[in-house]
Amino acid sequence: MWQSYVNGLLVAAGLIMAIGTQNAFVLAQSLRREHHLPVAALCVACDALLVAAGVFGLATVLAQNPTLLAVARWGGAVFLIWYGSQALRRACSKQSLQQGENQTVRSLRAVMLSALAVTLLNPHVYLDTVLLIGSLGAQQTEPGAYVVGAASASLLWFFTLALGAAWLAPWLARPSTWRILDLLVAVMMFAVAFQLIVTP
């Protein structure tokens, strides 16, 4: 059970830590203290539901078809290696998270609708969260523990951003910080890909 939990935690952490529209949105809201906690909660809930849908929706199909299971296994390994390589490439380049200057206060409804759009209209959420994390979770001995692990990573990450963004703003703006994060992402992705390849 713990192995499945840790796998879910590491895979999800590696995927959500990279700079992206969702992270940028949460950080921007947090720096402005504009409904940042509801936004973080919404992102966590969406991630948990999408991961669970992917894990339990694909589990039956994969279990009944060894060919699809092999495709998911090797496809997941290839994608993880590619994703880790992208993170490694980003780690070797200069980048920082740019925050918007707009200080207009918006309603909770407007902010939550924007957060939903950023989360659900991003095609990567379906590739990463539903297909990749879901297919990997379907192969775990304890898929439920895997889902909880993935949800835990999302919970820790988004609430860390929401609660610590203002305090960490100068640190988060440094390219060196995201370089370190991307290096950690690459290590996580390569480690999980290796596990998939060597597992009989």
Side-chain angles (χ1 to χ4, degrees), residues 24-169:
F25 183 83
V26 174
L27 275 172
Q29 295 306 120
S30 301
L31 290 172
R32 290 195 293 264
R33 289 295 185 259
E34 184 182 61
H35 312 299
H36 54 294
L37 294 179
V39 166
L42 178 68
C43 291
V44 172
C46 286
D47 279 2
L49 290 173
L50 289 168
V51 169
V55 169
F56 296 112
L58 291 174
T60 304
V61 175
L62 291 173
Q64 294 174 349
N65 193 321
T67 302
L68 283 179
L69 187 60
V71 169
R73 175 184 169 194
W74 288 101
V78 168
F79 183 83
L80 288 169
I81 291 170
W82 174 82
Y83 199 95
S85 300
Q86 293 294 104
L88 198 59
R89 183 183 61 79
R90 287 193 304 269
C92 296
S93 65
K94 292 183 178 180
Q95 62 178 323
S96 62
L97 193 63
Q98 302 297 322
Q99 299 299 331
E101 298 297 327
N102 182 18
Q103 297 296 320
T104 303
V105 177
R106 295 180 295 168
S107 68
L108 174 62
R109 181 175 180 273
V111 169
M112 296 298 273
L113 287 175
S114 295
L116 275 175
V118 165
T119 300
L120 299 178
L121 297 182
N122 180 3
H124 288 290
V125 75
Y126 300 102
L127 177 62
D128 297 346
T129 309
V130 178
L131 294 181
L132 176 62
I133 298 179
S135 62
L136 292 175
Q139 301 172 55
Q140 301 296 312
T141 54
E142 296 288 343
Y146 179 90
V147 171
V148 173
S152 297
S154 182
L155 179 73
L156 290 170
W157 178 251
F158 285 117
F159 275 94
T160 296
L161 291 183
L163 295 171
W167 180 63
L168 296 174

